[in-house]
Amino acid sequence: MIATLGKETSAEQIYDQLKAMLADVVPDFELRMKSEIAAKINQVKAEKNAVILGHNYMEPALFYSIPDFVGDSLDLARRAAQTDKDIIVFCGVKFMAETAKLLNPTKTVLIPSEKAGCSLAASITGEDVRELRRRFPGVPVVTYVNTYADVKAESDICCTSSNAVAVVKSLNTDRVIFLPDEYLAKNVARETGLKIIFPTTDPRQAVEGELDYQMIGWPGRCEVHDKFSVEDIVNVRKQFPDVVILAHPECSPEVVAASDYSGSTNAMIRYVEQTKAPRYLLLTECSMGENVAAANPDKEMLRLCSVRCPHMNQITLEDTLESLEKSQYLIEIPEEIRVRAARAVERMIAIG
Ligand code: 13P
Ligand code: SF4
């Protein structure tokens, strides 16, 4: 997906375009202020030969003004792999910026805030993966991109929410270790018909050798998607019987089963664009609902905005300007880890 505004657009033009899309979402004085900052960012971006990649969760004024490309994790990893710019500014969270650096070791990769982490990425370490490999020798490791480079380095292949099922099937093996998202793993197991165990929590682990299972998971969770419940869905459907509910696969299998559709952030955006329901509810970070609502003014978008990603929300226009001006915060990965982690990401990208 390509963002809507060009790099040489003036503050006035940015304001006009943001107003046309976001007048119902962002107060006018804030749109003016943000347009000024966005125009400066686009100017410095051009001077420094930089590219800005923006995840679908970025707040609306940022999402619709400064990124050269917006999209989901897979899309942005592909964009990062293709860029010929000298500097990549990642408006997303640290594991995403790291993925860009893995694929572009000679380029400068910046993230506008050091606080943009991720509960899934924090749930597992490289040593945890090595321990699992010792317990399950010979079983290939699939790692969700929502992990840091040291974890990717211990993995055979990465996946995102868009290609997790395809990646697992591509391995053609009897068993697979799938890390670290418990719910994504359970959703993949459900879709593929594979039986999954969680050796760190499963009391049957002592006899795991005798069990009939094909997937080995890990109990990591996204602190945002973990908050959505079947009760939320029941309550919303009671009030709006015609609502179409879309859930990110980081939601629990129960929530996914009670929803009408599940897919990556890009897949959810496409689904809303291509279907014709009177109203939708996106069970994911609230800013994305605002961005989708702005692009689909004929469709009503219900939002559960008490659920926010505190990490994605660290990224602001102000910090992005400072990031470009001061070249901060630099993403750096030790070369020995980078080479192995890049291999796992490149294998994923090659699957298509
Ligand atoms: P997507 O790859 O679907 O954009 O998801 C990334 C993410 O962090 C969702 O919480
Ligand atoms: Fe991580 Fe969840 Fe935030 Fe995505 S929404 S960046 S998985 S904490």
Side-chain angles (χ1 to χ4, degrees), residues 55-57 71-74 93 95-96 118 120 144-146 160-162 222 224-225 248-250 263-268 284-285 288 309 312:
H55 187 261
N56 289 327
Y57 288 166
D72 65 7
S73 309
L74 182 60
V93 288
F95 74 80
M96 295 179 178
C118 169
L120 276 172
Y144 193 30
V145 283
N146 295 35
T160 74
S161 56
S162 341
C222 162
V224 179
H225 294 92
H248 193 275
E250 288 169 13
S264 76
T265 55
N266 266 14
M268 286 196 267
T284 196
E285 154 63 32
M288 195 174 107
C309 175
M312 289 281 183

Side-chain angles (χ1 to χ4, degrees), residues 97-173:
E98 272 196 359
T99 304
K101 182 68 180 178
L102 294 176
L103 300 168
N104 293 281
T106 59
K107 294 188 198 296
T108 300
V109 178
L110 304 173
I111 184 155
S113 167
E114 286 182 305
K115 294 184 193 148
C118 169
S119 64
L120 276 172
S123 74
I124 191 161
T125 64
E127 179 48 33
D128 292 329
V129 186
R130 287 192 290 276
E131 175 58 25
L132 281 166
R133 281 201 187 273
R134 284 192 283 272
R135 289 184 64 180
F136 301 95
V139 180
V141 176
V142 176
T143 295
Y144 193 30
V145 283
N146 295 35
T147 45
Y148 294 120
D150 63 325
V151 170
K152 290 186 174 83
E154 302 299 332
S155 312
D156 294 286
I157 186 166
C158 286
C159 74
T160 74
S161 56
S162 341
N163 60 15
V165 169
V167 166
V168 167
K169 285 185 177 167
S170 77
L171 294 174
N172 244 329
T173 50

Side-chain angles (χ1 to χ4, degrees), residues 19-31:
K19 194 174 173 199
M21 296 199 82
L22 305 173
D24 294 340
V25 182
V26 186
D28 193 62
F29 75 93
E30 201 171 314
L31 281 185

Side-chain angles (χ1 to χ4, degrees), residues 187 190-191 245-251 256-257 259-264 267-268 271:
N187 286 321
R190 185 168 163 258
E191 205 173 322
I245 299 181
L246 290 74
H248 193 275
E250 288 169 13
C251 293
V256 168
S259 303
D260 300 296
Y261 177 79
S262 177
S264 76
M268 286 196 267
Y271 186 94

